[in-house]
Amino acid sequence: CTLSLSLCVCVCVCVCSVYSLRIDCVYTLHLCTVCALCVCSLCSICVLLSLCALCVRSLSMCFLCALCICALCICALCVPFFWHSSAVPDYIDRAFQLAHTADKTAKLFYNDYNAEAVNAKSDAIYSMVKEMKDKGIPIDGVGLQAHFKLNVDKGDECSSDVTEQKVLKAGENNLDELDSETDLYRSPIPSNWTSVCDNIKRFVDLGLEIHITEMDVTVSGSASMSEKLEKQATVYKEMLHCCLIHSPKCRSFETWGFVDKYSWIAADELPDLFDKDYQPKPCFFAVANELNASQHNLHNSHHFTHD
């Protein structure tokens, strides 16, 4: 019975460790490893007591050891559920403080996905970084990843088959409601780009820089290829426009790769500025034209001010 109980406990601890990996909680994994070592030690003691003693007292001691093992197992299983909220509530603040201590010249950013427009997630990020600023935590900016998924059917306006509610409801630990795990990191196409511009503005108003850090736009649907690429170009243009109107605080516009052939997403979803043969797509020219227009407007503005 003791051996069976020991085996069950070890399996439980292993499951807990795997779960810790799934939520990317390194400290929890370390704690589970320590618990596993404790469990194995207690199990060994139980087995030795069972083999070396035949009296009732020894059996009672084995029973007490088994209870201790169960208690340890329960603690190990509970740790992942309260680690972020209870054990180290200021772990993000501490991470930024330690990074600043290590290199006072480095710019420190909080980078996340599905937060380009004003929505529940960007609201939470705004509240977090505002609180960090109020507490004097060193933070220089926010990165918006800008992974978009675009679906264009014949005769339809550009839309997204990944809704905001669907993404936020699914969360990292419940991917069944999404078409694939990569959908979790792709934002819906904003119905109103003003929401994206307003979102950038509120972070800028906190004195933070904004970087567009990983932009790409996957396309699908029954529309013609030319129509899909035209809609894709619009998404790139609008996102860049929202960044440029808040220049110089929106200081960086980066794409996740530049050629479809080597994207983190399947090449047939056409996410980048160049196709698989390294030829520029309409979105490339849309980005170039928006940059040129912005530069022209900036020049005219400076010329007018000078006169």
Side-chain angles (χ1 to χ4, degrees), residues 10 13 30-44 72:
C10 289
V13 172
H30 290 171
L31 185 58
C32 288
T33 302
V34 173
C35 288
L37 291 174
C38 293
V39 167
C40 291
S41 300
L42 287 173
C43 288
S44 299
L72 280 172

Side-chain angles (χ1 to χ4, degrees), residues 2 39-50 61-62 65:
T2 304
V39 167
C40 291
S41 300
L42 287 173
C43 288
S44 299
I45 293 172
C46 271
V47 172
L48 288 174
L49 287 173
S50 298
M61 189 174 296
C62 289
C65 289

Side-chain angles (χ1 to χ4, degrees), residues 286-301:
V287 167
N289 291 338
E290 186 66 24
L291 288 171
N292 288 333
S294 175
Q295 188 68 21
H296 178 72
N297 292 337
L298 183 63
H299 174 76
N300 288 343
S301 175

Side-chain angles (χ1 to χ4, degrees), residues 19 22-23 170-176 184:
Y19 178 75
R22 179 65 186 84
I23 63 171
E172 291 190 3
N173 297 318
N174 182 16
L175 304 178
D176 294 338
L184 177 63

Side-chain angles (χ1 to χ4, degrees), residues 185-223:
Y185 308 104
R186 307 190 211 180
S187 296
I189 303 301
S191 57
N192 185 351
W193 284 96
T194 302
S195 179
V196 176
C197 297
D198 291 343
N199 188 44
I200 292 176
K201 182 180 184 301
R202 62 175 175 171
F203 286 108
V204 168
D205 288 343
L206 289 179
L208 297 169
E209 289 184 21
I210 289 291
H211 288 191
I212 310 304
T213 57
E214 307 176 18
M215 184 162 182
D216 52 29
V217 183
T218 60
V219 293
S220 60
S222 60

Side-chain angles (χ1 to χ4, degrees), residues 256-279 281:
W256 189 267
F258 74 97
V259 59
D260 292 339
K261 184 176 181 180
Y262 296 114
S263 172
W264 70 293
I265 298 169
D268 60 1
E269 294 189 72
L270 315 172
D272 291 317
L273 298 174
F274 291 77
D275 66 20
K276 61 183 179 62
D277 297 318
Y278 295 87
Q279 297 303 305
K281 292 156 56 180

